Amino acid sequence: MRLNISGIRRIRGRIGMAAAIAMGTTGLAQAQDTPPAPDVSTPEWSPLNGGAFGKELLEAWIPVPNGESGAPRQGWLATADGFFTREVHLAAAYTSAQGPDSWGVLGRFHYPFSRRLWAGIEVPFYQEAAGRGNFGDVTLTTQVMLAEKRNLSVNAGVGWRLPTGATRQGNNVFAAQPQLNIWTDVGRGFSLRGRVAYEFATRNVPDNFVLNAAIGQTVTPHSRAPLGDLTWYVAANWREPTTGRGNSFVSITPGMRTHVGNNLFLLGGVEFPVTNTANSFSQRYILQLVQGF
């Protein structure tokens, strides 16, 4: 069978169009995966509606999709979350100081009871310095989601530090920290987050104004394990005593996070004090595993 010239041109045109579409699709790769087909058993996420606050207070939590540029709502080290997560954490830290070095291991459990209510508990079950080990102060945090859109989450709550640890290691302190937390996708896989808080404490520990801010960028999709959701970030923390005792403290923590597979994440970072270094520490090395469920 013979093809005339016009038929050959049509075939060439179709091949060229298919190649252009394939190349164009490759060029559109983003730091997020194509959304999977909706699961009919899970309600579709929608922005929270202030007029339906009472109803949303009882609605089951729905995981929020990535921001429009691909920035996921994921926890980082040494910074706050303006969003809700459902995770288990295991973290270890080694602190190099002017005096004895120290290290510790802690666990966290995060659970959203509804689209508007969340609670988390942090348990430092072992801390050691100068050859002495002990249990640390447990922290319980409760939060209410104030606003949640595709590119923005804002929550408020209170963190309660409970005096369960040893005084000789700086524990056995009761404190309450009212807080306001925010997260936002600002484009190109970048997200900003932070906290404004005030901490009321007992046992001759000064009250503190607390400010936190962090910026980072997610550069790979979630599915590219063991380098999925690969993210770099830098967090800054400032604690300022307000009751005439104690010292101002500022630190910077560069870090990274990656999805290694099956919703298991690996985080690492190093915290560096930039003020009051003689009375605080030289650097703190942090490693954390996070399992989402």
Side-chain angles (χ1 to χ4, degrees), residues 254-292:
M256 58 77 65
R257 172 174 173 137
T258 185
H259 171 227
V260 297
N262 295 321
N263 276 340
L264 178 66
F265 300 84
L266 174 66
L267 292 80
V270 184
E271 183 178 11
F272 300 96
V274 295
T275 63
N276 192 33
T277 55
N279 297 319
S280 55
F281 56 91
S282 301
Q283 58 267 334
R284 176 177 291 127
Y285 304 94
I286 310 168
L287 194 65
Q288 178 171 289
L289 290 172
V290 176
Q291 180 66 65

PDB file of all heavy atoms in Angstrom, residues 254-292:
ATOM      1  N   PRO A 254      20.184  25.398  60.792  1.00  0.00           N
ATOM      2  CA  PRO A 254      20.005  24.871  59.436  1.00  0.00           C
ATOM      3  C   PRO A 254      19.687  23.376  59.508  1.00  0.00           C
ATOM      4  O   PRO A 254      20.215  22.663  60.363  1.00  0.00           O
ATOM      5  CB  PRO A 254      21.361  25.125  58.774  1.00  0.00           C
ATOM      6  CG  PRO A 254      22.333  25.149  59.907  1.00  0.00           C
ATOM      7  CD  PRO A 254      21.591  25.649  61.122  1.00  0.00           C
ATOM      8  N   GLY A 255      18.807  22.926  58.611  1.00  0.00           N
ATOM      9  CA  GLY A 255      18.433  21.517  58.657  1.00  0.00           C
ATOM     10  C   GLY A 255      17.903  21.009  57.338  1.00  0.00           C
ATOM     11  O   GLY A 255      17.773  21.745  56.351  1.00  0.00           O
ATOM     12  N   MET A 256      17.611  19.703  57.306  1.00  0.00           N
ATOM     13  CA  MET A 256      17.047  19.061  56.124  1.00  0.00           C
ATOM     14  C   MET A 256      16.034  18.001  56.528  1.00  0.00           C
ATOM     15  O   MET A 256      16.012  17.539  57.674  1.00  0.00           O
ATOM     16  CB  MET A 256      18.150  18.422  55.270  1.00  0.00           C
ATOM     17  CG  MET A 256      19.010  17.375  55.970  1.00  0.00           C
ATOM     18  SD  MET A 256      18.256  15.717  56.187  1.00  0.00           S
ATOM     19  CE  MET A 256      18.081  15.202  54.483  1.00  0.00           C
ATOM     20  N   ARG A 257      15.193  17.643  55.572  1.00  0.00           N
ATOM     21  CA  ARG A 257      14.200  16.595  55.798  1.00  0.00           C
ATOM     22  C   ARG A 257      14.010  15.833  54.491  1.00  0.00           C
ATOM     23  O   ARG A 257      14.028  16.421  53.407  1.00  0.00           O
ATOM     24  CB  ARG A 257      12.867  17.203  56.247  1.00  0.00           C
ATOM     25  CG  ARG A 257      11.711  16.179  56.315  1.00  0.00           C
ATOM     26  CD  ARG A 257      10.460  16.802  56.893  1.00  0.00           C
ATOM     27  NE  ARG A 257       9.323  15.874  56.798  1.00  0.00           N
ATOM     28  CZ  ARG A 257       8.432  15.666  57.759  1.00  0.00           C
ATOM     29  NH1 ARG A 257       8.548  16.335  58.889  1.00  0.00           N
ATOM     30  NH2 ARG A 257       7.447  14.821  57.598  1.00  0.00           N
ATOM     31  N   THR A 258      13.833  14.496  54.592  1.00  0.00           N
ATOM     32  CA  THR A 258      13.577  13.692  53.411  1.00  0.00           C
ATOM     33  C   THR A 258      12.623  12.553  53.739  1.00  0.00           C
ATOM     34  O   THR A 258      12.596  12.043  54.870  1.00  0.00           O
ATOM     35  CB  THR A 258      14.897  13.143  52.830  1.00  0.00           C
ATOM     36  OG1 THR A 258      14.624  12.453  51.603  1.00  0.00           O
ATOM     37  CG2 THR A 258      15.566  12.168  53.790  1.00  0.00           C
ATOM     38  N   HIS A 259      11.820  12.160  52.753  1.00  0.00           N
ATOM     39  CA  HIS A 259      10.918  11.013  52.871  1.00  0.00           C
ATOM     40  C   HIS A 259      11.660   9.778  52.382  1.00  0.00           C
ATOM     41  O   HIS A 259      12.019   9.683  51.207  1.00  0.00           O
ATOM     42  CB  HIS A 259       9.661  11.251  52.025  1.00  0.00           C
ATOM     43  CG  HIS A 259       8.772  10.061  51.909  1.00  0.00           C
ATOM     44  ND1 HIS A 259       8.244   9.625  50.718  1.00  0.00           N
ATOM     45  CD2 HIS A 259       8.309   9.198  52.862  1.00  0.00           C
ATOM     46  CE1 HIS A 259       7.501   8.563  50.921  1.00  0.00           C
ATOM     47  NE2 HIS A 259       7.526   8.280  52.216  1.00  0.00           N
ATOM     48  N   VAL A 260      11.915   8.833  53.293  1.00  0.00           N
ATOM     49  CA  VAL A 260      12.694   7.652  52.931  1.00  0.00           C
ATOM     50  C   VAL A 260      11.823   6.492  52.471  1.00  0.00           C
ATOM     51  O   VAL A 260      12.342   5.483  51.986  1.00  0.00           O
ATOM     52  CB  VAL A 260      13.591   7.199  54.103  1.00  0.00           C
ATOM     53  CG1 VAL A 260      14.601   8.287  54.442  1.00  0.00           C
ATOM     54  CG2 VAL A 260      12.773   6.848  55.344  1.00  0.00           C
ATOM     55  N   GLY A 261      10.494   6.621  52.623  1.00  0.00           N
ATOM     56  CA  GLY A 261       9.570   5.592  52.158  1.00  0.00           C
ATOM     57  C   GLY A 261       8.537   5.221  53.191  1.00  0.00           C
ATOM     58  O   GLY A 261       8.793   5.286  54.402  1.00  0.00           O
ATOM     59  N   ASN A 262       7.328   4.858  52.727  1.00  0.00           N
ATOM     60  CA  ASN A 262       6.242   4.413  53.602  1.00  0.00           C
ATOM     61  C   ASN A 262       5.905   5.432  54.697  1.00  0.00           C
ATOM     62  O   ASN A 262       5.666   5.082  55.849  1.00  0.00           O
ATOM     63  CB  ASN A 262       6.596   3.059  54.243  1.00  0.00           C
ATOM     64  CG  ASN A 262       6.712   1.950  53.228  1.00  0.00           C
ATOM     65  OD1 ASN A 262       5.930   1.887  52.268  1.00  0.00           O
ATOM     66  ND2 ASN A 262       7.686   1.082  53.406  1.00  0.00           N
ATOM     67  N   ASN A 263       5.908   6.713  54.313  1.00  0.00           N
ATOM     68  CA  ASN A 263       5.598   7.810  55.238  1.00  0.00           C
ATOM     69  C   ASN A 263       6.541   7.866  56.441  1.00  0.00           C
ATOM     70  O   ASN A 263       6.162   8.321  57.517  1.00  0.00           O
ATOM     71  CB  ASN A 263       4.147   7.747  55.722  1.00  0.00           C
ATOM     72  CG  ASN A 263       3.194   8.407  54.736  1.00  0.00           C
ATOM     73  OD1 ASN A 263       3.615   9.213  53.904  1.00  0.00           O
ATOM     74  ND2 ASN A 263       1.927   8.069  54.832  1.00  0.00           N
ATOM     75  N   LEU A 264       7.774   7.389  56.246  1.00  0.00           N
ATOM     76  CA  LEU A 264       8.831   7.537  57.247  1.00  0.00           C
ATOM     77  C   LEU A 264       9.784   8.626  56.776  1.00  0.00           C
ATOM     78  O   LEU A 264      10.243   8.605  55.625  1.00  0.00           O
ATOM     79  CB  LEU A 264       9.590   6.224  57.430  1.00  0.00           C
ATOM     80  CG  LEU A 264      10.768   6.260  58.414  1.00  0.00           C
ATOM     81  CD1 LEU A 264      10.269   6.509  59.847  1.00  0.00           C
ATOM     82  CD2 LEU A 264      11.566   4.960  58.353  1.00  0.00           C
ATOM     83  N   PHE A 265      10.063   9.584  57.659  1.00  0.00           N
ATOM     84  CA  PHE A 265      10.877  10.746  57.303  1.00  0.00           C
ATOM     85  C   PHE A 265      12.113  10.811  58.201  1.00  0.00           C
ATOM     86  O   PHE A 265      12.057  10.452  59.378  1.00  0.00           O
ATOM     87  CB  PHE A 265      10.073  12.039  57.451  1.00  0.00           C
ATOM     88  CG  PHE A 265       8.845  12.093  56.581  1.00  0.00           C
ATOM     89  CD1 PHE A 265       7.652  11.520  56.994  1.00  0.00           C
ATOM     90  CD2 PHE A 265       8.889  12.706  55.340  1.00  0.00           C
ATOM     91  CE1 PHE A 265       6.522  11.562  56.202  1.00  0.00           C
ATOM     92  CE2 PHE A 265       7.761  12.756  54.528  1.00  0.00           C
ATOM     93  CZ  PHE A 265       6.574  12.177  54.963  1.00  0.00           C
ATOM     94  N   LEU A 266      13.208  11.304  57.627  1.00  0.00           N
ATOM     95  CA  LEU A 266      14.452  11.511  58.355  1.00  0.00           C
ATOM     96  C   LEU A 266      14.771  13.001  58.366  1.00  0.00           C
ATOM     97  O   LEU A 266      14.749  13.653  57.317  1.00  0.00           O
ATOM     98  CB  LEU A 266      15.589  10.739  57.698  1.00  0.00           C
ATOM     99  CG  LEU A 266      16.987  10.981  58.278  1.00  0.00           C
ATOM    100  CD1 LEU A 266      17.080  10.451  59.710  1.00  0.00           C
ATOM    101  CD2 LEU A 266      18.049  10.333  57.393  1.00  0.00           C
ATOM    102  N   LEU A 267      15.072  13.544  59.566  1.00  0.00           N
ATOM    103  CA  LEU A 267      15.419  14.948  59.717  1.00  0.00           C
ATOM    104  C   LEU A 267      16.755  15.079  60.421  1.00  0.00           C
ATOM    105  O   LEU A 267      17.076  14.273  61.314  1.00  0.00           O
ATOM    106  CB  LEU A 267      14.354  15.702  60.528  1.00  0.00           C
ATOM    107  CG  LEU A 267      12.972  15.903  59.907  1.00  0.00           C
ATOM    108  CD1 LEU A 267      12.114  14.650  60.053  1.00  0.00           C
ATOM    109  CD2 LEU A 267      12.270  17.088  60.545  1.00  0.00           C
ATOM    110  N   GLY A 268      17.520  16.078  60.033  1.00  0.00           N
ATOM    111  CA  GLY A 268      18.780  16.360  60.697  1.00  0.00           C
ATOM    112  C   GLY A 268      19.030  17.852  60.725  1.00  0.00           C
ATOM    113  O   GLY A 268      18.596  18.580  59.821  1.00  0.00           O
ATOM    114  N   GLY A 269      19.718  18.332  61.767  1.00  0.00           N
ATOM    115  CA  GLY A 269      20.009  19.748  61.869  1.00  0.00           C
ATOM    116  C   GLY A 269      21.046  20.014  62.937  1.00  0.00           C
ATOM    117  O   GLY A 269      21.345  19.155  63.773  1.00  0.00           O
ATOM    118  N   VAL A 270      21.621  21.223  62.883  1.00  0.00           N
ATOM    119  CA  VAL A 270      22.594  21.663  63.880  1.00  0.00           C
ATOM    120  C   VAL A 270      22.187  23.047  64.355  1.00  0.00           C
ATOM    121  O   VAL A 270      22.026  23.965  63.541  1.00  0.00           O
ATOM    122  CB  VAL A 270      24.023  21.709  63.310  1.00  0.00           C
ATOM    123  CG1 VAL A 270      25.016  22.076  64.412  1.00  0.00           C
ATOM    124  CG2 VAL A 270      24.405  20.382  62.673  1.00  0.00           C
ATOM    125  N   GLU A 271      22.014  23.194  65.672  1.00  0.00           N
ATOM    126  CA  GLU A 271      21.634  24.479  66.251  1.00  0.00           C
ATOM    127  C   GLU A 271      22.873  25.206  66.754  1.00  0.00           C
ATOM    128  O   GLU A 271      23.680  24.645  67.491  1.00  0.00           O
ATOM    129  CB  GLU A 271      20.644  24.283  67.399  1.00  0.00           C
ATOM    130  CG  GLU A 271      20.152  25.590  67.999  1.00  0.00           C
ATOM    131  CD  GLU A 271      19.138  25.391  69.112  1.00  0.00           C
ATOM    132  OE1 GLU A 271      18.969  24.238  69.571  1.00  0.00           O
ATOM    133  OE2 GLU A 271      18.501  26.385  69.520  1.00  0.00           O
ATOM    134  N   PHE A 272      23.012  26.481  66.363  1.00  0.00           N
ATOM    135  CA  PHE A 272      24.144  27.314  66.763  1.00  0.00           C
ATOM    136  C   PHE A 272      23.643  28.536  67.530  1.00  0.00           C
ATOM    137  O   PHE A 272      22.880  29.333  66.972  1.00  0.00           O
ATOM    138  CB  PHE A 272      24.925  27.804  65.538  1.00  0.00           C
ATOM    139  CG  PHE A 272      25.503  26.713  64.682  1.00  0.00           C
ATOM    140  CD1 PHE A 272      24.819  26.263  63.561  1.00  0.00           C
ATOM    141  CD2 PHE A 272      26.726  26.152  64.995  1.00  0.00           C
ATOM    142  CE1 PHE A 272      25.351  25.273  62.756  1.00  0.00           C
ATOM    143  CE2 PHE A 272      27.271  25.147  64.196  1.00  0.00           C
ATOM    144  CZ  PHE A 272      26.578  24.708  63.078  1.00  0.00           C
ATOM    145  N   PRO A 273      24.039  28.740  68.779  1.00  0.00           N
ATOM    146  CA  PRO A 273      23.705  29.983  69.480  1.00  0.00           C
ATOM    147  C   PRO A 273      24.470  31.153  68.856  1.00  0.00           C
ATOM    148  O   PRO A 273      25.626  30.997  68.459  1.00  0.00           O
ATOM    149  CB  PRO A 273      24.166  29.736  70.917  1.00  0.00           C
ATOM    150  CG  PRO A 273      24.406  28.273  71.020  1.00  0.00           C
ATOM    151  CD  PRO A 273      24.758  27.803  69.643  1.00  0.00           C
ATOM    152  N   VAL A 274      23.831  32.305  68.785  1.00  0.00           N
ATOM    153  CA  VAL A 274      24.507  33.494  68.276  1.00  0.00           C
ATOM    154  C   VAL A 274      24.582  34.586  69.345  1.00  0.00           C
ATOM    155  O   VAL A 274      25.178  35.634  69.110  1.00  0.00           O
ATOM    156  CB  VAL A 274      23.817  34.036  67.000  1.00  0.00           C
ATOM    157  CG1 VAL A 274      23.944  33.038  65.873  1.00  0.00           C
ATOM    158  CG2 VAL A 274      22.356  34.363  67.261  1.00  0.00           C
ATOM    159  N   THR A 275      23.985  34.348  70.505  1.00  0.00           N
ATOM    160  CA  THR A 275      24.122  35.259  71.645  1.00  0.00           C
ATOM    161  C   THR A 275      24.361  34.431  72.904  1.00  0.00           C
ATOM    162  O   THR A 275      23.985  33.257  72.976  1.00  0.00           O
ATOM    163  CB  THR A 275      22.854  36.113  71.863  1.00  0.00           C
ATOM    164  OG1 THR A 275      21.750  35.239  72.183  1.00  0.00           O
ATOM    165  CG2 THR A 275      22.506  36.925  70.634  1.00  0.00           C
ATOM    166  N   ASN A 276      24.998  35.030  73.896  1.00  0.00           N
ATOM    167  CA  ASN A 276      25.193  34.385  75.194  1.00  0.00           C
ATOM    168  C   ASN A 276      25.842  33.007  75.060  1.00  0.00           C
ATOM    169  O   ASN A 276      25.493  32.062  75.763  1.00  0.00           O
ATOM    170  CB  ASN A 276      23.841  34.260  75.921  1.00  0.00           C
ATOM    171  CG  ASN A 276      23.997  33.885  77.376  1.00  0.00           C
ATOM    172  OD1 ASN A 276      24.968  34.282  78.029  1.00  0.00           O
ATOM    173  ND2 ASN A 276      23.057  33.120  77.896  1.00  0.00           N
ATOM    174  N   THR A 277      26.793  32.884  74.143  1.00  0.00           N
ATOM    175  CA  THR A 277      27.399  31.578  73.895  1.00  0.00           C
ATOM    176  C   THR A 277      28.197  31.057  75.092  1.00  0.00           C
ATOM    177  O   THR A 277      28.310  29.841  75.278  1.00  0.00           O
ATOM    178  CB  THR A 277      28.317  31.653  72.666  1.00  0.00           C
ATOM    179  OG1 THR A 277      29.281  32.711  72.863  1.00  0.00           O
ATOM    180  CG2 THR A 277      27.517  31.946  71.410  1.00  0.00           C
ATOM    181  N   ALA A 278      28.737  31.954  75.911  1.00  0.00           N
ATOM    182  CA  ALA A 278      29.546  31.513  77.057  1.00  0.00           C
ATOM    183  C   ALA A 278      28.703  30.796  78.097  1.00  0.00           C
ATOM    184  O   ALA A 278      29.184  29.913  78.815  1.00  0.00           O
ATOM    185  CB  ALA A 278      30.252  32.712  77.694  1.00  0.00           C
ATOM    186  N   ASN A 279      27.409  31.153  78.190  1.00  0.00           N
ATOM    187  CA  ASN A 279      26.546  30.573  79.218  1.00  0.00           C
ATOM    188  C   ASN A 279      25.534  29.570  78.661  1.00  0.00           C
ATOM    189  O   ASN A 279      24.675  29.090  79.400  1.00  0.00           O
ATOM    190  CB  ASN A 279      25.793  31.679  79.956  1.00  0.00           C
ATOM    191  CG  ASN A 279      26.722  32.616  80.700  1.00  0.00           C
ATOM    192  OD1 ASN A 279      27.684  32.169  81.318  1.00  0.00           O
ATOM    193  ND2 ASN A 279      26.455  33.912  80.620  1.00  0.00           N
ATOM    194  N   SER A 280      25.611  29.271  77.367  1.00  0.00           N
ATOM    195  CA  SER A 280      24.644  28.325  76.801  1.00  0.00           C
ATOM    196  C   SER A 280      25.369  27.080  76.299  1.00  0.00           C
ATOM    197  O   SER A 280      25.729  26.209  77.086  1.00  0.00           O
ATOM    198  CB  SER A 280      23.836  28.998  75.686  1.00  0.00           C
ATOM    199  OG  SER A 280      24.708  29.540  74.695  1.00  0.00           O
ATOM    200  N   PHE A 281      25.673  26.994  75.002  1.00  0.00           N
ATOM    201  CA  PHE A 281      26.373  25.829  74.461  1.00  0.00           C
ATOM    202  C   PHE A 281      27.037  26.229  73.153  1.00  0.00           C
ATOM    203  O   PHE A 281      26.791  27.317  72.602  1.00  0.00           O
ATOM    204  CB  PHE A 281      25.413  24.655  74.261  1.00  0.00           C
ATOM    205  CG  PHE A 281      24.218  24.961  73.394  1.00  0.00           C
ATOM    206  CD1 PHE A 281      24.265  24.756  72.018  1.00  0.00           C
ATOM    207  CD2 PHE A 281      23.035  25.444  73.948  1.00  0.00           C
ATOM    208  CE1 PHE A 281      23.172  25.032  71.216  1.00  0.00           C
ATOM    209  CE2 PHE A 281      21.926  25.725  73.151  1.00  0.00           C
ATOM    210  CZ  PHE A 281      22.003  25.518  71.780  1.00  0.00           C
ATOM    211  N   SER A 282      27.872  25.347  72.639  1.00  0.00           N
ATOM    212  CA  SER A 282      28.583  25.632  71.388  1.00  0.00           C
ATOM    213  C   SER A 282      27.735  25.270  70.170  1.00  0.00           C
ATOM    214  O   SER A 282      27.556  26.078  69.260  1.00  0.00           O
ATOM    215  CB  SER A 282      29.908  24.859  71.353  1.00  0.00           C
ATOM    216  OG  SER A 282      30.732  25.219  72.444  1.00  0.00           O
ATOM    217  N   GLN A 283      27.223  24.042  70.141  1.00  0.00           N
ATOM    218  CA  GLN A 283      26.305  23.606  69.096  1.00  0.00           C
ATOM    219  C   GLN A 283      25.552  22.375  69.560  1.00  0.00           C
ATOM    220  O   GLN A 283      26.005  21.648  70.432  1.00  0.00           O
ATOM    221  CB  GLN A 283      27.018  23.335  67.765  1.00  0.00           C
ATOM    222  CG  GLN A 283      28.104  22.302  67.808  1.00  0.00           C
ATOM    223  CD  GLN A 283      29.462  22.913  68.042  1.00  0.00           C
ATOM    224  OE1 GLN A 283      29.697  24.071  67.707  1.00  0.00           O
ATOM    225  NE2 GLN A 283      30.379  22.141  68.619  1.00  0.00           N
ATOM    226  N   ARG A 284      24.391  22.178  68.958  1.00  0.00           N
ATOM    227  CA  ARG A 284      23.563  21.020  69.287  1.00  0.00           C
ATOM    228  C   ARG A 284      23.242  20.275  67.994  1.00  0.00           C
ATOM    229  O   ARG A 284      22.716  20.851  67.043  1.00  0.00           O
ATOM    230  CB  ARG A 284      22.275  21.450  69.978  1.00  0.00           C
ATOM    231  CG  ARG A 284      21.314  20.289  70.274  1.00  0.00           C
ATOM    232  CD  ARG A 284      20.086  20.755  71.035  1.00  0.00           C
ATOM    233  NE  ARG A 284      20.430  21.153  72.401  1.00  0.00           N
ATOM    234  CZ  ARG A 284      20.112  22.328  72.945  1.00  0.00           C
ATOM    235  NH1 ARG A 284      19.475  23.237  72.220  1.00  0.00           N
ATOM    236  NH2 ARG A 284      20.461  22.598  74.188  1.00  0.00           N
ATOM    237  N   TYR A 285      23.554  18.963  67.966  1.00  0.00           N
ATOM    238  CA  TYR A 285      23.307  18.121  66.794  1.00  0.00           C
ATOM    239  C   TYR A 285      22.000  17.346  67.027  1.00  0.00           C
ATOM    240  O   TYR A 285      21.855  16.670  68.051  1.00  0.00           O
ATOM    241  CB  TYR A 285      24.466  17.150  66.578  1.00  0.00           C
ATOM    242  CG  TYR A 285      25.807  17.834  66.448  1.00  0.00           C
ATOM    243  CD1 TYR A 285      26.627  18.005  67.576  1.00  0.00           C
ATOM    244  CD2 TYR A 285      26.252  18.310  65.220  1.00  0.00           C
ATOM    245  CE1 TYR A 285      27.854  18.646  67.468  1.00  0.00           C
ATOM    246  CE2 TYR A 285      27.488  18.946  65.107  1.00  0.00           C
ATOM    247  CZ  TYR A 285      28.276  19.111  66.233  1.00  0.00           C
ATOM    248  OH  TYR A 285      29.491  19.740  66.130  1.00  0.00           O
ATOM    249  N   ILE A 286      21.090  17.408  66.062  1.00  0.00           N
ATOM    250  CA  ILE A 286      19.760  16.821  66.231  1.00  0.00           C
ATOM    251  C   ILE A 286      19.469  15.859  65.074  1.00  0.00           C
ATOM    252  O   ILE A 286      19.689  16.192  63.910  1.00  0.00           O
ATOM    253  CB  ILE A 286      18.669  17.905  66.275  1.00  0.00           C
ATOM    254  CG1 ILE A 286      19.031  19.004  67.277  1.00  0.00           C
ATOM    255  CG2 ILE A 286      17.312  17.287  66.640  1.00  0.00           C
ATOM    256  CD1 ILE A 286      18.154  20.240  67.155  1.00  0.00           C
ATOM    257  N   LEU A 287      18.969  14.686  65.424  1.00  0.00           N
ATOM    258  CA  LEU A 287      18.558  13.693  64.438  1.00  0.00           C
ATOM    259  C   LEU A 287      17.168  13.189  64.828  1.00  0.00           C
ATOM    260  O   LEU A 287      16.931  12.908  66.018  1.00  0.00           O
ATOM    261  CB  LEU A 287      19.548  12.520  64.409  1.00  0.00           C
ATOM    262  CG  LEU A 287      19.455  11.566  63.215  1.00  0.00           C
ATOM    263  CD1 LEU A 287      19.818  12.283  61.921  1.00  0.00           C
ATOM    264  CD2 LEU A 287      20.373  10.372  63.420  1.00  0.00           C
ATOM    265  N   GLN A 288      16.271  13.079  63.861  1.00  0.00           N
ATOM    266  CA  GLN A 288      14.884  12.712  64.203  1.00  0.00           C
ATOM    267  C   GLN A 288      14.273  11.834  63.120  1.00  0.00           C
ATOM    268  O   GLN A 288      14.478  12.047  61.919  1.00  0.00           O
ATOM    269  CB  GLN A 288      14.051  13.979  64.367  1.00  0.00           C
ATOM    270  CG  GLN A 288      12.586  13.735  64.683  1.00  0.00           C
ATOM    271  CD  GLN A 288      11.867  15.016  65.054  1.00  0.00           C
ATOM    272  OE1 GLN A 288      12.083  15.575  66.118  1.00  0.00           O
ATOM    273  NE2 GLN A 288      11.022  15.500  64.168  1.00  0.00           N
ATOM    274  N   LEU A 289      13.510  10.833  63.563  1.00  0.00           N
ATOM    275  CA  LEU A 289      12.684  10.006  62.681  1.00  0.00           C
ATOM    276  C   LEU A 289      11.223  10.358  62.925  1.00  0.00           C
ATOM    277  O   LEU A 289      10.809  10.518  64.078  1.00  0.00           O
ATOM    278  CB  LEU A 289      12.911   8.519  62.936  1.00  0.00           C
ATOM    279  CG  LEU A 289      14.260   7.948  62.512  1.00  0.00           C
ATOM    280  CD1 LEU A 289      14.393   6.498  63.011  1.00  0.00           C
ATOM    281  CD2 LEU A 289      14.413   7.986  61.001  1.00  0.00           C
ATOM    282  N   VAL A 290      10.455  10.471  61.838  1.00  0.00           N
ATOM    283  CA  VAL A 290       9.029  10.794  61.934  1.00  0.00           C
ATOM    284  C   VAL A 290       8.240   9.766  61.122  1.00  0.00           C
ATOM    285  O   VAL A 290       8.534   9.535  59.946  1.00  0.00           O
ATOM    286  CB  VAL A 290       8.736  12.209  61.387  1.00  0.00           C
ATOM    287  CG1 VAL A 290       7.237  12.483  61.395  1.00  0.00           C
ATOM    288  CG2 VAL A 290       9.472  13.255  62.202  1.00  0.00           C
ATOM    289  N   GLN A 291       7.250   9.153  61.761  1.00  0.00           N
ATOM    290  CA  GLN A 291       6.382   8.201  61.082  1.00  0.00           C
ATOM    291  C   GLN A 291       4.970   8.759  61.019  1.00  0.00           C
ATOM    292  O   GLN A 291       4.325   8.959  62.053  1.00  0.00           O
ATOM    293  CB  GLN A 291       6.373   6.851  61.798  1.00  0.00           C
ATOM    294  CG  GLN A 291       5.475   5.809  61.143  1.00  0.00           C
ATOM    295  CD  GLN A 291       5.950   5.401  59.764  1.00  0.00           C
ATOM    296  OE1 GLN A 291       7.006   4.813  59.605  1.00  0.00           O
ATOM    297  NE2 GLN A 291       5.156   5.690  58.739  1.00  0.00           N
ATOM    298  N   GLY A 292       4.488   9.040  59.823  1.00  0.00           N
ATOM    299  CA  GLY A 292       3.112   9.487  59.658  1.00  0.00           C
ATOM    300  C   GLY A 292       2.171   8.306  59.592  1.00  0.00           C
ATOM    301  O   GLY A 292       2.543   7.213  59.153  1.00  0.00           O
TER     302      GLY A 292
END
